[in-house]
Amino acid sequence: MGIILFLVDTSASMNQRTFLGTCYLDVAKGAIDTFMKYRSRDPASRGDRYMLVSFDEPPNAVKSGWKESHTTFVYELKNLQATGLSSFGRALKESFQLLNLHRLHNCIDNYGQGRNPFFLEPAVIIALTDSAKLTNEITVEDELTLPMGPVTDGSELTKEPFRWDQRLFTVLLRLPGMGGVGASSNSVEVTQSNMAEATGGKCYLATNQKTLVQAMESLCQKLHPGVVMHFQKIGGSSPSNSLAPGSKDISRSNTPIAMETDSDNQHLQRETSRDSDKVTPPPMADSDPSAWHSTKKMIFVKPSSKNNLPTGFWPIPESFWPDPSLSKLPPRDVHPVVLFNTVDTQPMLVENFPFDKYELEPSPLTQFILAKKNPHVCWQVFMEDSGKDPGIIHQFGYLKASSSPCTRHLL
């Protein structure tokens, strides 16, 4: 998978006792142990790197970083103490900076030259907190904010503090206490949930030991290497409408990129059943009939069978034209906005010409495509302002259902 960073709330409120007789911090430690046991059953876990960050003041917040062994990780986890403040924003910023430490030097983000989905450093942050009021040295906060301050090299080239292959999953511990449920802030829970969804992750609410274990099991099923993209519909409301004004019909052009999703895969079926039947996340808006018009989901990047590394040929275009006269590159959105038109088009691929194909994570968009039951047509995808002339002009790929009745591709 890559990097799994555990962000553990070590504020004083984590000392409150649950009905089990253990404190919230011990519950969080047990949840991490449960996660690692489930994860060890997956052969892909052999490439995992674990990190541990607490809510302590930097630099003491990083308990186990890049160079520490698994033994050090376990030792530091065991010795965590809940004595600090509920500084979730500061700790989260510290976690993002830790993950982004070497990205610029390793040219992972490839600024100004397109985005390569196959050149990535996938990471997930699993935050465990009691969702109490956020505090710092000065005041009590009602919303989650990331503080300003020193940043890592190259951070100014992305508008957000995270990257498209990094996701945040927050587990809110709301187990009943010895004297009732501990105090929590609904506004804090909402902002924490919004932050997780902004990265392509989600927020879990654990109200007892069973739902906590199920949340850990569900998280193990989400550790697929890939990148998050924002798919947005253009043109009229009907799939048969034409392109938006100012764009060109280039359905007969050669396209080097493809995308596909496979909701029939067993791991996706297990994940869907767990999320819907067991874990209690915040309410989602997928019941909206127009939810497929704009969706932020992951494309899965599969490793090669030869060297177990992702491979590919073509980048996702930048949303600007890289003019040599620019004094500096404009900052990019962390998730590229891929525009798609719902005009049915015949895919045109040149024989023996290389192209990339990615699976799309199940979403309202993929459900709508599969409902059409027509694997022989596709939808064109665009990147706005990717050419010398501004606007939605140049197609760079297709959205297409595969010949399998339960699979969608981005080509």
Side-chain angles (χ1 to χ4, degrees):
M1 157 61 194
I3 302 170
I4 302 173
L5 188 152
F6 290 101
L7 177 58
V8 182
D9 187 347
T10 53
S11 62
S13 61
M14 291 289 284
N15 285 315
Q16 60 183 311
R17 296 283 172 178
T18 70
F19 71 99
L20 299 172
T22 56
C23 67
Y24 271 30
L25 182 59
D26 290 335
V27 171
K29 292 178 181 180
I32 294 175
D33 184 61
T34 299
F35 174 91
M36 296 176 69
K37 288 179 179 178
Y38 278 122
R39 179 61 180 165
S40 63
R41 301 172 185 174
D42 190 340
S45 65
R46 288 175 292 183
D48 292 346
R49 287 182 288 171
Y50 289 103
M51 296 185 182
L52 181 64
V53 178
S54 71
F55 279 22
D56 294 344
E57 289 190 37
N60 298 325
V62 181
K63 302 300 183 182
S64 179
W66 288 93
K67 298 181 180 180
E68 278 74 26
S69 64
H70 180 72
T71 303
T72 302
F73 174 90
V74 174
Y75 175 81
E76 293 293 343
L77 176 65
K78 181 180 178 181
N79 288 278
L80 285 179
Q81 300 293 323
T83 58
L85 301 171
S86 299
S87 51
F88 192 100
R90 182 179 65 189
L92 186 57
K93 179 186 177 183
E94 187 79 4
S95 301
F96 286 137
Q97 288 185 342
L98 180 64
L99 294 176
N100 298 334
L101 195 59
H102 303 296
R103 291 181 70 95
L104 183 66
H105 302 292
N106 294 335
C107 299
I108 292 176
D109 294 307
N110 208 39
Y111 290 108
Q113 303 177 59
R115 313 186 196 210
N116 296 318
F118 46 87
F119 192 23
L120 73 168
E121 191 175 60
V124 296
I125 297 176
I126 301 176
L128 297 105
T129 176
D130 60 356
S131 69
K133 283 281 189 178
L134 303 177
T135 58
N136 56 37
E137 294 82 356
I138 302 175
T139 185
V140 177
E141 301 174 327
D142 291 327
E143 295 184 353
L144 171 62
T145 57
L146 272 62
M148 304 296 291
V151 294
T152 55
D153 293 339
S155 59
E156 72 280 1
L157 296 174
T158 304
K159 296 177 182 178
E160 292 82 0
F162 50 90
R163 302 296 179 262
W164 68 336
D165 53 359
Q166 299 170 356
R167 292 174 293 160
L168 168 65
F169 295 94
T170 304
V171 181
L172 306 180
L173 303 176
R174 296 297 307 279
L175 282 71
M178 297 296 290
V181 178
S184 65
S185 171
N186 185 60
S187 61
V188 171
E189 291 182 2
V190 170
T191 55
Q192 289 174 338
S193 177
N194 291 342
M195 185 66 195
E197 292 175 6
T199 66
K202 67 186 302 182
C203 188
Y204 293 90
L205 182 62
T207 56
N208 53 53
Q209 189 66 23
K210 181 180 179 181
T211 56
L212 179 60
V213 171
Q214 290 167 348
M216 294 298 104
E217 188 178 2
S218 174
L219 282 172
C220 288
Q221 302 301 324
K222 293 183 177 295
L223 301 186
H224 312 300
V227 296
V228 178
M229 302 175 67
H230 187 181
F231 294 91
Q232 187 168 310
K233 178 181 176 295
I234 58 174
S237 59
S238 171
S240 62
N241 285 341
S242 59
L243 287 170
S247 57
K248 299 179 180 179
D249 184 1
I250 48 175
S251 59
R252 308 199 63 83
S253 63
N254 300 325
T255 54
I257 299 180
M259 295 188 182
E260 175 172 329
T261 66
D262 189 354
S263 63
D264 198 36
N265 287 345
Q266 292 183 359
H267 67 272
L268 294 180
Q269 288 181 332
R270 292 196 301 267
E271 175 185 318
T272 302
S273 64
R274 287 189 178 96
D275 288 349
S276 59
D277 298 336
K278 297 181 179 180
V279 184
T280 309
M284 302 295 287
D286 289 354
S287 57
D288 183 358
S290 62
W292 64 276
H293 291 184
S294 180
T295 181
K296 186 185 295 181
K297 290 294 181 179
M298 173 178 282
I299 62 171
F300 300 118
V301 181
K302 294 184 176 180
S304 170
S305 57
K306 296 181 179 180
N307 54 14
N308 204 34
L309 295 174
T311 58
F313 300 99
W314 309 101
I316 304 296
E318 298 280 6
S319 59
F320 63 89
W321 184 255
D323 192 337
S325 64
L326 293 174
S327 59
K328 62 179 182 179
L329 292 173
R332 61 163 59 151
D333 292 319
V334 64
H335 299 136
V337 180
V338 176
L339 307 176
F340 64 91
N341 190 274
T342 54
V343 175
D344 289 342
T345 306
Q346 293 295 326
M348 300 293 292
L349 296 174
V350 178
E351 187 177 357
N352 297 325
F353 189 79
F355 66 92
D356 300 324
K357 182 168 66 173
Y358 303 104
E359 292 184 8
L360 268 65
E361 183 181 8
S363 68
L365 172 61
T366 58
Q367 293 171 7
F368 186 88
I369 294 175
L370 290 179
K372 292 170 61 68
K373 298 181 179 180
N374 191 349
H376 304 295
V377 298
C378 59
W379 292 346
Q380 299 171 342
V381 295
F382 306 83
M383 181 66 65
E384 188 172 9
D385 297 333
S386 61
K388 222 169 188 180
D389 299 321
I392 306 172
I393 299 176
H394 300 288
Q395 173 202 4
F396 73 91
Y398 294 115
L399 277 174
K400 179 184 178 297
S402 76
S403 54
S404 168
C406 297
T407 308
R408 287 85 61 203
H409 291 137
L410 171 62
L411 305 167

